[in-house]
Every structure is written in C-alpha cells, then in structure tokens.
Amino acid sequence: MFRRVAKKTFRLGALGATAYGGVKLTHMWINDDLDDVTYSVNRMYYKATRKEQERKKVVVLGSGWGALAFVRKLDPAEFQVTVLSPRPFFFYTPLLVGSTTGVVSPGAIIEPIRDNAPDCDFLRVSCKDVDLENRKVFCDGDVTLDYDHLVVAVGAQPNTFGIPGVDKYGKFLKEIEHGRQVRKDMLDIIERADVALAAGNLDKVKQLLNFVVVGGGPTGVEFCGELSDFLHQDLVRRYPKIAEHFKVTLVEALPGLLTMFHKSVGGYVQDHLVNQGVDIKLNSMVKEVKEDSVQLKTKEGIVDMSYGILVWVAGVGMRPFTRALCEKIGKDNGQTDRRGLLVDECLRVKGTRPGEVFAIGDCAVSGKPPTAQVAYQQGKYLGRMFRLGKEHQISDPAAPGFQYCHQGTMAYIGQGEAATEIDPNAFIKLGRSSVTDHMWWRSLYGDTDQLRVMGPAGFAIWRSTYFSKLFSGRNRWSVASDWARTSMFGRPASSSAQGTAEA
C-alpha cells in the first residue's frame, strides 16, 4: 500500500516537474533566454579559475524594455547594480492602448522593478546630470552615485514638432498615466455629451463626440481599432440616445497608414477601419490645436475641425536629459544627431571613454527603429557582454557589434482582427542551410522574406505573441483574466478615476 502511494506520488511529481521544465524552457526559447542555462554552468568554471575581484558599480538610468532586459542578464555576484528611474515599475507598452478602453486594467500590465530585478538596488529618482570625467551621476534629493559603467535607457517622449497647442490641448499615449488620463477624459466627455443632448444642444453633442487621433502608425491605428470596438460593441447599448453621433477621425500627414508595413497591408488596414466607421484623413498636416478645434492643412486648403478629445501619437523625440547629455559631450566629440545619443556598433556612446557609457532603446541613435523590440534585444546584447568570459568586450574596439533580428511587426485593427508581418528567417533561418531552404518551406512561405497574416488569424498571432512576452506569471494571470472578463461581460463604461462630478 505504502509503496503504491509512494510510486504514484513520485510519478505525479516527475510529471509535474517535467511539465514545468518544458513550459519554462519553451518560455526561455521564445524570449531568447536559453543562454542563461549554459551561463549558469560556465560561470562555475570562470569563478574557479580566476581571482576574486571587487564588484564593479553599474548604474542604469530607466526602467523600460532595454533597462530591464539588461539588468536581468547581469550577474549580481560580479556587479553592484543600481537602477534609477522616476517610474518604479516596468509597463508592457504593447497593451497600453487596450487600457484606454478597459480591455485590460493598468495594474495588469505593470511589474514592479523590485520584483522583476530583485538583485538590483532601486531608487525612484530622476537623474539630473552626469560628471563624465569623474564618473558620477547627480539625482533628485541630493543623491550622488559613483559608477564604473553607466547605461542610459531613459527612452523618449512624445514629439509635438513645435505645433502650437499640442502640448496644452492634446492627449498623449506614451506612459501608463497617459492611458489612465485618456480613458477618464473620454468617459467624462461622453457623459457631458449625454447632458448636452438633454439640454437640447445638438451642436455641442457632435463636437464632443468627435474623437480625433493624430498619427497613422501602429499606436494610432490600434487606438482607432480599440476605440471603435468600445463605441460600437459597448457604449452604443449604454448610450442609445447619442450613439448615432459617435465619430472617430484619424489624421495622418503621409499618403498612407502603417508605412513601416508593406503597402498592401496599409491598404487593407485603411479599408478595414473605414468599414468600422473611422473617418481617415490622409495628407493632412496639423497646423494648430485649439481648445475644441484643430486646424488642418489639406490638399483642399486649411480646414478647421471641432473635436471632443484629441489624442496625439505622431512620433517621439529626445527627453531633456538626453539632450543635455548630448550637449555636454558635444558635437566635436561626435554627438551630432538631433534624435538622441549617437552610439557605435557595440552601443557605446560616442565621445565618451571606451566601455564606460552606453545607451540603449529610444534614447540611442543606432540606425535601428525606436521600438520596444529593438530596445529589448539591445538590453540582452549588452547584458551578455558584461557576463563572465566576455567582459573584455566591454571596451574592446574589435568586439562583435549588436545584430538586430527583426521578428515582425503587428497592429490590432479592431473587430477581432490584426495585421501581422512576420519574418520567417528570424525563426527558421530560410536560405541559410540546405534543410531550411527546402522547397517545402519555400512553397509555404513564398519567395519573400515577409509573411503577412491578416484578419482573425493575425489577431491570434498578435495576442499569443504579446501574451508570451509578458514578464511574469502575475502579469499573464491578470491579462488573461481581463481578456476573459471583457469577452464575457464587455468593457466597463465608467472608471474609478472619474470620481464624483463637481456640483
């Protein structure tokens, strides 16, 4: 009896351990972390064959994709790591748009830095200045820290291009607080429109219920798709009296949407959004934003358009800290780009001593697009450079440079559909071996390097990919619960951020 119970317990334990190990390895493979397994073995050899050294100080500025990917690769036994950021958490940017309509809650897509990088010291401060000569950083609260290596990963901020009124009247969608504010303002505007209709002011209703989105990139398209879903699937039933006046307008200065995709994808997305009722205005440049109207320069001339809320997602630019650091290093030392910190192939900041200052992510000008995918890969690349056995590469001018592997681009477009453009070479290495170059693969994927999947199939890829990239089990549980709640009960038509209306 005892032996049977023991055997069953052992088998169940072995099965559970195998299943957990399989899931863990699969997750590591998806997120390019399998090298952690080999490093954990190799580090024992390196530790045994070299003298004990004092831990070097690494200061990381930022808490985004690049910063977190970097610190998670560092060996805490070799480096004393301090992360400085005014934001005490990492937030999952691909799902930010969904938080504006209640598909996911803001708390589901954030992860505290102290939980995700427990071996690092964290201070919630902003870095104000850097003494490059004496290797010191100066922060809020009279905090001064020494460093041996400095990694700048402060990201970027919305770019208004100097257009009057954007800063004052536009709403941005770059940070988690932006998503909360946009959701609150949209719901407040809808309530005001309902009151205006009760007062008999139809013109005010039409003005309030025109939701204007400026920017035809992935964020602008996704926001239009999510907003159209919210309006037509949820709010139409809850506000039947004003439902016919809901309007979404997408403004883009270029002649097409999603210009980073193939032209056919942009055309498909444009037709899809139009079918959802989105009014798309291409070749339209914003000249000025006023409190309740926006001035556009179109082919027909200058046009004034009233709006209830204007969401600005038209691009990013340098943060003041990045600009100040560029100026401190100087144009004579190589910092000649107005977009950010120029770096070499190994992400070292030009004009600084070799191996001391690095820049990754949106604040770095490396010839790669300012996307989360690039920042994430840069952080991993730099973290591996700091590992035992490779630390000599930190300042080596002949060290292998960063190689970006573009895995694809995706955008949700509404009604359970998405546009995805995947590079099969990033996964199966087409054209690089006799096996993967087989005619079967060629016939499956075609002669192009890009595999384009639209509609519900694209949506399945979009959701499964982003779900697999979530950093923690807590995030996955929260996001999956929110998606299930939305499918069963719809999106909430109010937010706790709205509070009580003023008398």
Side-chain angles (χ1 to χ4, degrees):
M1 177 70 179
F2 176 76
R3 288 182 178 179
R4 283 201 303 268
V5 173
K7 282 184 178 179
K8 287 183 178 180
T9 303
F10 176 78
R11 287 174 182 172
L12 288 173
L15 181 63
T18 303
Y20 175 79
V23 171
K24 185 72 173 176
L25 285 174
T26 301
H27 182 261
M28 293 177 74
W29 174 75
I30 290 172
N31 291 284
D32 191 25
D33 283 327
L34 284 176
D35 63 299
D36 290 352
V37 178
T38 54
Y39 177 71
S40 64
V41 177
N42 292 338
R43 74 184 296 272
M44 292 188 290
Y45 166 77
Y46 291 124
K47 294 284 286 185
T49 56
R50 71 168 206 160
K51 295 181 179 179
E52 194 69 27
Q53 297 180 355
E54 184 180 353
R55 291 195 304 167
K56 290 190 175 182
K57 298 176 181 177
V58 177
V59 174
V60 181
L61 308 181
S63 57
W65 284 95
L68 205 56
F70 171 70
V71 300
R72 283 159 63 100
K73 286 293 181 186
L74 292 185
D75 188 342
E78 300 299 317
F79 297 99
Q80 180 184 338
V81 185
T82 303
V83 179
L84 309 177
S85 175
R87 188 181 69 199
F89 54 81
F90 164 84
F91 88 94
Y92 195 68
T93 50
L95 299 183
L96 174 62
V97 171
S99 71
T100 63
T101 59
V103 173
V104 294
S105 60
I109 57 174
I110 67 171
E111 183 70 15
I113 296 299
R114 290 182 174 88
D115 291 348
N116 221 289
D119 296 320
C120 302
D121 295 326
F122 175 76
L123 292 175
R124 189 184 180 185
V125 293
S126 294
C127 184
K128 297 300 183 184
D129 196 9
V130 179
D131 184 345
L132 297 170
E133 188 65 30
N134 298 305
R135 295 188 297 193
K136 295 179 182 292
V137 294
F138 304 96
C139 310
D140 293 335
D142 297 324
V143 173
T144 302
L145 296 175
D146 298 321
Y147 68 83
D148 294 300
H149 305 286
L150 176 66
V151 178
V152 183
V154 297
Q157 66 182 17
N159 193 347
T160 66
F161 304 99
I163 297 172
V166 175
D167 269 334
K168 187 174 182 180
Y169 301 114
K171 306 296 179 184
F172 301 118
L173 200 52
K174 187 75 169 63
E175 304 289 345
I176 197 77
E177 57 268 24
H178 294 158
R180 285 195 179 98
Q181 190 64 47
V182 167
R183 175 166 172 75
K184 175 186 180 300
D185 290 347
M186 285 195 309
L187 295 174
D188 283 344
I189 284 169
I190 293 169
E191 295 292 353
R192 286 170 55 197
D194 206 30
V195 172
L197 184 66
N201 192 344
L202 188 58
D203 290 338
K204 186 65 174 178
V205 173
K206 292 180 179 180
Q207 176 249 312
L208 289 172
L209 295 183
N210 185 18
F211 302 91
V212 175
V213 183
V214 180
T219 303
V221 166
E222 288 195 344
F223 183 66
C224 287
E226 291 279 9
L227 182 55
S228 296
D229 287 350
F230 189 32
L231 295 176
H232 298 136
Q233 296 175 11
D234 298 283
L235 296 185
V236 163
R237 293 184 288 107
R238 293 176 173 87
Y239 297 90
K241 295 180 181 178
I242 59 174
E244 63 179 299
H245 302 297
F246 286 134
K247 183 180 180 182
V248 180
T249 304
L250 177 58
V251 178
E252 169 56 47
L254 296 176
L257 304 179
L258 298 178
T259 54
M260 68 290 301
F261 286 76
H262 189 269
K263 189 175 180 180
S264 63
V265 177
Y268 175 89
V269 171
Q270 182 174 333
D271 292 341
H272 180 84
L273 290 177
V274 169
N275 289 335
Q276 284 185 271
V278 178
D279 182 14
I280 299 177
K281 297 184 180 298
L282 301 177
N283 297 301
S284 300
M285 296 180 61
V286 176
K287 301 297 290 182
E288 183 180 1
V289 179
K290 301 176 183 177
E291 186 175 6
D292 55 9
S293 67
V294 56
Q295 189 177 85
L296 304 176
K297 181 181 179 182
T298 67
K299 291 182 177 179
E300 291 73 31
I302 302 299
V303 176
D304 283 321
M305 179 173 61
S306 62
Y307 68 85
I309 185 172
L310 185 143
V311 179
W312 185 271
V313 286
V316 295
M318 274 199 294
R319 293 190 184 275
F321 172 81
T322 309
R323 182 176 291 107
L325 186 55
C326 287
E327 292 173 354
K328 178 184 285 287
I329 298 171
K331 293 182 178 180
D332 294 340
N333 292 317
Q335 291 303 326
T336 57
D337 201 294
R338 298 169 59 185
R339 297 171 295 170
L341 288 162
L342 275 169
V343 297
D344 65 11
E345 292 181 352
C346 296
L347 307 179
R348 308 179 189 103
V349 175
K350 293 184 177 181
T352 62
R353 289 191 290 256
E356 287 190 3
V357 184
F358 300 83
I360 56 179
D362 293 359
C363 67
V365 179
S366 62
K368 307 297 186 294
T371 64
Q373 189 177 168
V374 171
Y376 187 60
Q377 292 185 30
Q378 286 179 335
K380 287 181 179 292
Y381 160 82
L382 193 59
R384 290 176 178 127
M385 187 186 291
F386 275 68
R387 285 185 160 178
L388 287 173
K390 293 186 177 180
E391 63 270 32
H392 64 280
Q393 296 179 353
I394 294 174
S395 56
D396 184 0
F402 169 67
Q403 297 292 325
Y404 173 55
C405 176
H406 182 68
Q407 297 177 340
T409 311
M410 297 179 286
Y412 178 68
I413 59 177
Q415 292 182 330
E417 296 191 22
T420 63
E421 203 169 62
I422 304 169
D423 184 359
N425 284 305
F427 303 98
I428 62 171
K429 313 301 181 188
L430 271 179
R432 299 182 188 177
S433 75
S434 59
V435 176
T436 57
D437 199 34
H438 192 273
M439 289 300 295
W440 189 85
W441 289 110
R442 286 297 189 189
S443 65
L444 176 62
Y445 289 105
D447 293 329
T448 178
D449 284 338
Q450 297 294 332
L451 174 65
R452 302 180 188 94
V453 184
M454 310 293 186
F459 177 64
I461 295 173
W462 180 86
R463 271 213 167 169
S464 59
T465 300
Y466 283 148
F467 186 78
S468 69
K469 295 291 184 180
L470 288 166
F471 273 15
S472 72
R474 174 168 52 193
N475 283 141
R476 294 187 196 95
W477 174 268
S478 299
V479 169
S481 299
D482 283 347
W483 283 346
R485 181 257 304 157
T486 301
S487 298
M488 290 186 289
F489 306 111
R491 304 162 185 80
S494 61
S495 168
S496 58
Q498 291 177 270
T500 303
E502 296 180 3

